[in-house]
Amino acid sequence: MTNIILRRVLLATCLLPLPGCRLDFTRSQRGQPLKFDDFHELQPRETRREDAVEKLGAPDRVRWESGKSRLTWEHEDSTFIQLRLQVPFSIFGYRHNLFQYFEDQRNVNAMDLLFDESGLLEQKTLRLHDAYKTPHEPGSWRFVLTPRFEHSFLLLGDADFQDYDEIFDDGFVAGFDLGIQPVPPAVVKLGGRYQIHDGRTISAGATRVSFDDLELFTAEASVRLQLPLRILFDTEQLQNVWTLLLEDDPAVFEGWLVFLEAGLGVTFNGNVPVALDGVPGGNFFDAGPGVSSSIGVGIEYSWEGISVQAAFVYRTSDGFDEGNSPLPSDADRFQSFLGMASVSLKF
Amino acid sequence: MPIDIKLCSACFTVLLAGCAIMGRQQRENPIDRAKVNQVQRGMTKSEVTDILGAPVEIIFSNKEHDPLREHAYIFEHVTTKYTGITFGLLSFGNVDEKKDRVVVFFDERGDVESVGKTLLSHESSYGFPFGK
C-alpha cells in the first residue's frame, strides 16, 4: 500500500508540472540572404551605382549624407528559444511563470555602399553578425543541469528462480544530473535516479507466484565526452578529432553532437515481497546496496544555453540480496537497456 | 497494472495534444514584374508613376542647393508567412518575410538613372525553424 501511495505521489509530482512546462523555438528571417560574391566584385572608384543595383537588387535602405548616397542591403536571421515552467492552470487566461529562461539572438548581415555625388562607388563595407559575438574567455567553466527520462525496453540477467524479464515488466527511470563542463568536449556529472519495474504474476507448477515491484535508487558519478557530429561525415575533419578534444571555444560545440557517457555509482534496491497463491511468502529480494554502472551513446542538438538529447543506455547493478522466501533467489547482475530523452540547461 | 495504463494515457494526452497555426500577411500593393521591366533609363518621374503607381517612399536629396530634389522612388510589397506547430510541451515557430522591392534612382534632371529590383515575395514559405 505504501509503495502504491509513494508511486502515485511520484507520478503526480512528475506529471503536475508538465501542462505548465513549455519549450519554444522560434526563428524569424527577414529579407534575402546577401549576394556576397557580387559584393566582392564591386570595385571602389570603378563601379557605378547603376551597376551595383543591377547586381545586388533593390537596397533595403537609401540615405543621402552630405550629397553622397548610402545604400544598405540587410538580411536578419533571428532565433528565439524559451523554457517556461508555469502554474498548470490558468486564472481568467493568466498563467503565472514559476521560471522562465530565454535566449534571443538577432543576427543581422548587412552590405553598405557609399557613392559620391557623381554616382561612383567610394566605399564598401560588410557587417556580419560573427563580428559581434562576445569574445570567448578561455578557461571559463559552465554548469549543466539535466533532467532525464529513460524507458526500459529490455531486461537481462538470471534471478535464479527465473530470468529478470520473466518476473518484472519493462519500467522507467527518472532522474537528473548536475554537471561541470571544464572544457566543451567533456562534462563531469553527479546525478540521482529512480528506477521502477512492475512485478509480474507467473505460474510455477500449480502455484501462482506474484512479485511486488522492483524499485532502485541510484547515486551516480559519470563522465561524458562529446564531439560535433559533422566530423563523422567529413574525412578531413576526422584528422582533427584530437584538436577538437582540446578545443576551448563552446561555440564550436553548438549544433549536432554525438556523445558517449559512462558512470559508476551505488544502487539501493527496495524489498521485493512475493506472494504464493495470494499468501505472503516473505521477500524474494531483501533491500540492500550494490555497485552499479552505466554506459550510453547518443546524439544531441546544442544551442548556446540549452540542448536536447536522445540516447541508448545500458545499466547494470550487482545481484540483489537473497530474501527469506522459499524461492531460490541467488541472483546475477541486473541489466537493463533503455532509451533516454533529456533537456540540458547550461549556465 | 492499471496504473501503467493511466500513466501511458496521461503521457500520450500531454505529448500528443498539439496544434498548428499558419498565417500569411501581405503589406502594400503587389508589384507586377512585367510593369517593372517596362521602366527604362531616361524615363521621367511621371512616366514611372504611370506604370508603377505612387511610390511607398520618396528619398530626397539633402544637398544644400537642392534639398527637395527627389533622388529615388521606392515601391515595396511584403509577404510574411507565419508557422506555429505545437507538440505537447514543445512548440516550434517560424517567420519568413520576403519582399518585392523596386528602387528607381533619378539623375539631376529628374530622369531615371537606374532601377534596382528584388522580386522575391513569392519565395516566402511555411516551415520549421531548422535548416537554411
Side-chain angles (χ1 to χ4, degrees), chain A residues 143-146 148 150 176-182 186-193 219-226 259-264 294 300 309 315 340 342 344:
Chain A
F143 291 94
V144 185
L145 178 65
T146 310
R148 51 195 288 159
E150 299 170 14
F176 72 94
D177 286 322
L178 180 62
I180 294 175
Q181 192 170 15
V187 185
V188 180
K189 301 188 289 186
L190 286 175
R193 323 251 181 273
E220 187 178 73
S222 58
V223 176
R224 170 178 158 160
L225 295 176
Q226 57 191 23
F259 65 84
L260 174 71
E261 63 182 22
L264 186 65
S294 68
E300 168 179 307
Q309 299 104 21
R315 294 191 175 282
M340 185 275 281
S342 63
S344 290

Side-chain angles (χ1 to χ4, degrees), chain A residues 144-164:
Chain A
V144 185
L145 178 65
T146 310
R148 51 195 288 159
F149 182 84
E150 299 170 14
H151 175 74
S152 157
F153 57 88
L154 180 62
L155 294 180
L156 295 176
D158 181 8
D160 202 358
F161 173 63
Q162 292 280 352
D163 287 346
Y164 285 111

Side-chain angles (χ1 to χ4, degrees), chain A residues 88-204:
Chain A
F89 50 84
S90 68
I91 303 168
F92 299 113
Y94 170 75
R95 273 190 172 195
H96 185 66
N97 279 338
L98 299 170
F99 175 78
Q100 182 175 13
Y101 176 80
F102 71 86
E103 289 278 345
D104 189 1
Q105 188 172 359
R106 299 190 176 200
N107 299 330
V108 177
N109 291 329
M111 296 187 299
D112 207 66
L113 303 182
L114 183 67
F115 294 91
D116 63 16
E117 290 193 44
S118 66
L120 204 60
L121 180 61
E122 186 174 300
Q123 186 185 53
K124 66 173 188 175
T125 321
L126 267 181
R127 179 157 59 94
L128 304 177
H129 72 264
D130 281 345
Y132 290 86
K133 281 172 66 176
T134 307
H136 164 62
E137 294 178 11
S140 56
W141 288 30
R142 292 203 295 185
F143 291 94
V144 185
L145 178 65
T146 310
R148 51 195 288 159
F149 182 84
E150 299 170 14
H151 175 74
S152 157
F153 57 88
L154 180 62
L155 294 180
L156 295 176
D158 181 8
D160 202 358
F161 173 63
Q162 292 280 352
D163 287 346
Y164 285 111
D165 63 343
E166 297 288 336
I167 59 178
F168 297 115
D169 280 332
D170 294 334
F172 69 87
V173 177
F176 72 94
D177 286 322
L178 180 62
I180 294 175
Q181 192 170 15
V183 288
V187 185
V188 180
K189 301 188 289 186
L190 286 175
R193 323 251 181 273
Y194 170 70
Q195 184 169 358
I196 184 167
H197 296 267
D198 285 345
R200 286 183 170 174
T201 298
I202 60 176
S203 297

